[in-house]
Structure formats: C-alpha cells, structure tokens
Amino acid sequence: ALVLVGAGRHRLLDRLLAEETALRVVRHADRPVLVVPEGYDALPRSAVVASDFSPAAARAAEVALALVAE
C-alpha cells in the first residue's frame, strides 16, 4: 500500500538532475511513496496533498490521511 524510502544526503546537482534515489523511486512507483529524512523516528502529524484528481492522487490522499489520522 505504501513504499517507504530513506532520504540520504545528496548534492543539489543530484536533485536537479534527478539522480537522487528517492526521486527516482517516486517517479516510477505505482503506489504512494513516503520519503523519510535521516534521523526521523515518528510518523508525520500533518500532510499536504497535491492532486490532479486522478485515481492515483486520490489513493495517495487516502494513505496520507491514514498516516496522520490520529
């Protein structure tokens, strides 16, 4: 239901050229992806969801809501 990916330290150039592993996973995943920064040890308490009103975006919003529902 969810892909969990750790975000390592990358150079700005890696991000601009889409060479960062987490960005590549997000682009190719067929399900929502949660990218977790180094040292993070709790679920998020809030989320911002952008939508193009597609079924995939709706599913991502549902997963985000489930993560922050409490």
Side-chain angles (χ1 to χ4, degrees):
L2 175 71
V3 176
L4 183 64
V5 179
R9 295 180 184 214
H10 289 63
R11 298 173 302 159
L12 177 60
L13 186 58
D14 293 332
R15 290 194 175 132
L16 292 174
L17 297 176
E19 294 297 323
E20 184 175 4
T21 303
L23 288 175
R24 290 170 54 197
V25 170
V26 168
R27 288 194 174 113
H28 295 286
D30 63 349
R31 63 199 69 236
V33 178
L34 177 60
V35 181
V36 181
E38 186 176 339
Y40 203 78
D41 62 358
L43 289 174
R45 291 196 259 185
S46 61
V48 174
V49 178
S51 180
D52 61 3
F53 303 102
S54 67
R59 177 72 181 126
E62 290 172 0
V63 171
L65 180 62
L67 287 173
V68 299
E70 296 179 12

